[in-house]
Amino acid sequence: MCGIALIFRLGARPLPEPGVLGRMLDAIAHRGPDGRGTFADDDVQLGAVRLAVIDPRGGRQPVHGCGGARVSCVYNGELYDAAEHRRALAASHALADACDTTLLPHLYEEHGEAMVERMRGMFAFALWDAARRRLLLARDRLGIKPLFWARTPDYLVAASEVKAILASGLVEAVIDRDAVDDVFSLSYPCPPRTMFRGVVELRPAHLLVVRREPGEARVGEPRRWWRAPFLPRGEHSRRSASEHEHELREVLRDAVRTHLVSDVPLAACVSGGLDSSAIAALAKEASGGAPTTFSIAFDDPRFDESSHARAVARHLGSHPHEIRADAHAAELLPQMIWNLEVPQIVPGAIGGLLLSARERAEGVPVVLTGDGADELLGGYDVFRAARARRALDARWLDPLRPWIFRAAGRATGQPAGLAEWMARTARPAGEVARAHGGVYPPWYDVWRLLDVERAALLSPEGRRVRPIEEPPAGFAALVPENAAALEPLDAELALELETRLPSWILVISDRSAMAHGVEARVPFLDHRVVELVAAMPPSAKMRGLREKAVLRGAVRDLLPPAIAARRKQPFMTPVRDWFFRRPAPAFVERELSAEALKSAGLFSPEVVARLALALERAPERHVDRVRLELVMMLVLGTQLLHRLFVAAPAGMLGKPSCASAR
């Protein structure tokens, strides 16, 4: 597990002096506290910082193949099938050490670009084929590990985090206004955009090849090499529910077993929900001993799940570590924005920062998490709401729909006024689906919550702001080509794997862990698990309105009954009480001042002041307060992003000081 950076020469201009690559590695040193290395020739500079997990004494990067520097590679990730590759390569390749990183140039020598199709794990890497003057960038199937790149007239610059690209000084730090429009709807930039103009992500399951030719270089188009195999309607297996549960249990058991491979201490993050508890229980089954667990507790009982996490730890016989978070944790928001590089509608990643700081302090640099299960199995309320919406689409139900919304809102404990707001503002489902490439996005109604004085807020100078009903540029490319042939739930999940999972969930997972040099492993996103679940019929994933049915059945015997049956509780933190109380934290007052807002030029100071006052007066548990909290968190986060990356002195990123876990 590491951070990588590179500079590739596109034209006649020589590569920058080595200190430029050094600044890039300094910017991501948190990803690799155990060492760093570089390699250069006339056309490319490669660098890596290392978090030593497998063969801590070996595994120095960059790594090279059999021909010395003919093939060189920097790599961020973990190969869970490294032992199998090692056996296959041993007869004809001289492997320098026992680290999985060492295998990559040899896999390339054997299989070329097709090596990625043989790799089981999470990875992002850059590989330089000096003999063919070819650079290969690649990212894992689900986007667990990040990789970003930018192109200037002279260079292609790439790194594990955007801050490293900006630290090079070769790419100007400018907030992308289209990305701001995206964030105030989707809640993340529409892939492959980032928050910074000219910097894009290499999308999950994509390769990018750059060839150096006489006089110039040719940058190819990113090429997809894998897609989750959701089946067209009518082609799903007819296995029984118990057969599906058995299949999932077996493939999850194998995934967890492979994810336990480590030469350093390993633990499990347990929230008290089904997903993380299942992974911890399977880890105990695979290893024969209960894993150490880490969990977070909130002083505010509305957000606290710690009693459930403690119940899981007792059931497993684990040694638990509990980190408590109170209003003082709000001070971590600048660090959260610096690490994530994107504003957040809810600052849940603060909890991740507290956890990783404690894990590091306890000498545990590797943790298993339950991330990915909700996106794979339809675990969020929005998927149940989508099923209910389809059932209510009949025209004869129009007069009853407001009453049905209100009754459903009361039954599920939704904020007051939400049902009325949805009934009043809902658009025809078919119209929404047609606008978004044939799929009604599962989070579309959450996006609509952010439509609060949108144009006036986001364009103080009168620039056109994309209406929230209008899909972002590039959104159609994220919709599966066979979406029309899929069952609705499968189409929604396929879109989820292309959008919210890599662009929000895994951003939080990777950056909050790596902020303190901790590797987060996600067994639910082992591609064999994903391929199995994707091909299951929707009825296995959701029975009626019961989410994750097949997972509950698969692990029922491993968990306390209350945990196995427990409904999803989103991981949330207080917002108004932490950030918009009076007096507010000093950094909040500073960033939302008229002076700071005018300086950044991204938001109307008058509208921000009006929304802040409205939030102060908004009643508890009302839809108006929810909407205002989400929008104000995005304003605050974007302002912090501007201060830390754009307004920082030239050549310096404004990294905030790190607070320790409480």
Side-chain angles (χ1 to χ4, degrees), residues 64-66 99 188 227 241 308 317 384 388 456 471 482 511 541 567 576 586 605 618:
H64 307 284
C66 289
C99 185
Y188 47 82
R227 190 185 290 276
H308 303 291
R384 288 192 293 274
N482 65 339
R511 307 306 194 284
K541 302 158 195 173
R567 288 278 297 273
R576 190 172 71 177

Side-chain angles (χ1 to χ4, degrees), residues 353-496:
L353 290 173
L354 290 168
L355 281 169
S356 64
R358 179 65 176 275
E359 289 153 2
R360 228 332 148 167
E362 296 289 340
V364 178
V366 181
V367 293
L368 302 182
T369 81
D371 290 333
D374 289 312
E375 292 72 25
L376 189 58
L377 289 156
Y380 296 110
D381 284 344
V382 295
F383 295 105
R384 288 192 293 274
R387 175 162 286 191
R389 184 187 61 248
R390 288 191 290 273
L392 295 173
D393 267 350
R395 190 169 294 278
W396 66 270
L397 284 172
D398 284 352
L400 299 175
R401 195 168 287 115
W403 179 87
I404 294 171
F405 275 128
R406 284 193 295 272
R410 286 193 298 271
T412 56
Q414 297 294 336
L418 177 61
E420 290 80 359
W421 176 82
M422 290 188 64
R424 184 177 68 252
T425 63
R427 296 174 63 207
E431 180 182 319
V432 174
R434 284 191 296 275
H436 290 83
V439 180
Y440 191 114
W443 294 90
Y444 179 75
D445 292 314
V446 176
W447 302 348
R448 291 196 301 118
L449 288 172
L450 299 174
D451 192 6
V452 180
E453 296 199 49
R454 179 177 173 82
L457 173 66
L458 300 185
S459 185
E461 77 288 3
R463 176 187 66 93
R464 180 188 183 270
V465 174
R466 174 178 56 79
I468 211 155
E469 298 85 4
E470 179 184 311
F475 187 86
L478 306 173
V479 179
E481 295 176 359
N482 65 339
L486 301 178
E487 293 283 358
L489 177 60
D490 280 349
E492 292 161 1
L493 294 173
L495 182 61
E496 189 85 342

Side-chain angles (χ1 to χ4, degrees), residues 523-605:
F524 278 112
L525 297 182
D526 181 284
H527 78 272
R528 298 182 187 182
V529 177
V530 174
E531 289 173 350
L532 174 71
V533 174
M536 286 182 177
S539 59
K541 302 158 195 173
M542 184 178 291
R543 286 185 200 134
L545 295 179
R546 186 61 161 166
E547 84 284 5
K548 296 187 283 196
V550 67
L551 176 60
R552 295 182 191 279
V555 299
R556 186 183 297 116
D557 62 311
L558 297 177
L559 300 172
I563 300 299
R566 191 170 174 237
R567 288 278 297 273
K568 169 73 178 178
Q569 178 176 333
F571 186 74
M572 305 283 280
T573 59
V575 172
R576 190 172 71 177
D577 296 346
W578 278 15
F579 302 100
F580 304 111
R581 64 184 187 272
R582 286 192 182 272
F587 74 87
V588 177
E589 297 278 10
R590 182 189 69 218
E591 298 305 334
L592 299 185
S593 68
E595 180 184 7
L597 290 162
K598 288 177 182 176
S599 176
L602 299 170
F603 304 109
S604 163

Side-chain angles (χ1 to χ4, degrees), residues 102 106 110 138 158 178 229 232 234 338 406 569 613:
T102 303
H106 301 280
E110 285 288 320
D178 289 335
W338 189 83
R406 284 193 295 272
Q569 178 176 333
L613 182 60

Side-chain angles (χ1 to χ4, degrees), residues 248-372:
L248 180 58
R249 172 70 166 261
E250 290 304 307
V251 75
L252 260 182
R253 175 186 282 138
D254 181 63
V256 171
R257 176 188 60 79
T258 62
H259 283 58
L260 289 172
V261 175
S262 176
D263 292 332
V264 295
L266 178 149
C269 288
V270 173
S271 68
L274 171 66
D275 310 335
S276 61
S277 302
I279 295 301
L282 286 164
K284 176 181 179 179
E285 183 185 65
S287 66
T292 296
T293 60
F294 288 84
S295 61
I296 192 161
F298 289 95
D299 284 357
D300 190 328
R302 294 172 299 169
F303 305 95
D304 186 46
E305 298 181 79
S306 60
S307 62
H308 303 291
R310 288 193 291 270
V312 173
R314 284 194 302 271
H315 180 80
L316 298 179
S318 299
H319 175 55
H321 295 274
E322 184 175 282
I323 298 91
R324 297 202 66 81
D326 58 19
H328 294 287
E331 300 292 340
L332 286 171
L333 186 68
Q335 184 190 345
M336 186 197 87
I337 295 297
W338 189 83
N339 284 111
L340 270 60
E341 303 171 338
V342 66
Q344 298 285 294
I345 55 173
V346 289
I350 286 177
L353 290 173
L354 290 168
L355 281 169
S356 64
R358 179 65 176 275
E359 289 153 2
R360 228 332 148 167
E362 296 289 340
V364 178
V366 181
V367 293
L368 302 182
T369 81
D371 290 333

Side-chain angles (χ1 to χ4, degrees), residues 81-303:
D81 57 353
E84 291 91 330
H85 289 305
R86 187 170 299 280
R87 285 192 292 269
L89 293 168
S92 53
H93 292 259
L95 303 176
D97 54 49
C99 185
D100 58 327
T101 306
T102 303
L103 300 171
L104 268 68
H106 301 280
L107 288 171
Y108 175 79
E109 288 167 346
E110 285 288 320
H111 308 293
E113 294 176 20
M115 64 184 284
V116 292
E117 299 167 23
R118 298 170 177 266
M119 294 167 64
R120 180 184 185 184
M122 53 182 182
F123 53 85
F125 66 83
L127 187 146
W128 172 238
D129 182 340
R132 301 172 67 184
R133 312 311 290 173
R134 184 169 80 156
L135 176 70
L136 172 66
L137 305 180
R139 194 168 175 208
D140 67 58
R141 295 167 179 83
L142 281 304
I144 305 168
K145 293 291 103 185
L147 189 57
F148 302 94
W149 63 285
R151 182 176 181 175
T152 77
D154 299 305
Y155 307 111
L156 184 143
V157 189
S160 296
E161 297 182 15
V162 176
K163 60 179 64 67
I165 293 175
L166 302 180
S168 73
L170 302 172
V171 177
E172 185 181 6
V174 178
I175 300 293
D176 186 330
R177 298 297 292 271
D178 289 335
V180 175
D181 285 3
D182 294 347
V183 166
F184 279 77
S185 54
L186 313 183
S187 63
Y188 47 82
C190 183
R193 270 192 295 279
T194 70
M195 291 301 298
F196 298 94
R197 192 171 66 197
V199 182
V200 297
E201 68 166 344
L202 182 64
R203 287 179 55 202
H206 277 69
L207 293 165
L208 176 66
V209 178
V210 186
R211 292 179 171 85
R212 181 72 197 178
E213 298 178 350
E216 61 178 0
R218 182 186 301 171
V219 181
E221 287 295 320
R223 177 178 67 82
R224 177 182 288 277
W225 57 272
W226 179 88
R227 190 185 290 276
F230 290 94
L231 298 178
R233 62 175 62 88
E235 295 186 15
H236 297 95
S237 72
R238 298 185 180 276
R239 293 183 177 88
S240 66
S242 61
E243 288 173 322
H244 284 306
E245 291 166 3
H246 175 74
E247 282 184 311
L248 180 58
R249 172 70 166 261
E250 290 304 307
V251 75
L252 260 182
R253 175 186 282 138
D254 181 63
V256 171
R257 176 188 60 79
T258 62
H259 283 58
L260 289 172
V261 175
S262 176
D263 292 332
V264 295
L266 178 149
C269 288
V270 173
S271 68
L274 171 66
D275 310 335
S276 61
S277 302
I279 295 301
L282 286 164
K284 176 181 179 179
E285 183 185 65
S287 66
T292 296
T293 60
F294 288 84
S295 61
I296 192 161
F298 289 95
D299 284 357
D300 190 328
R302 294 172 299 169
F303 305 95

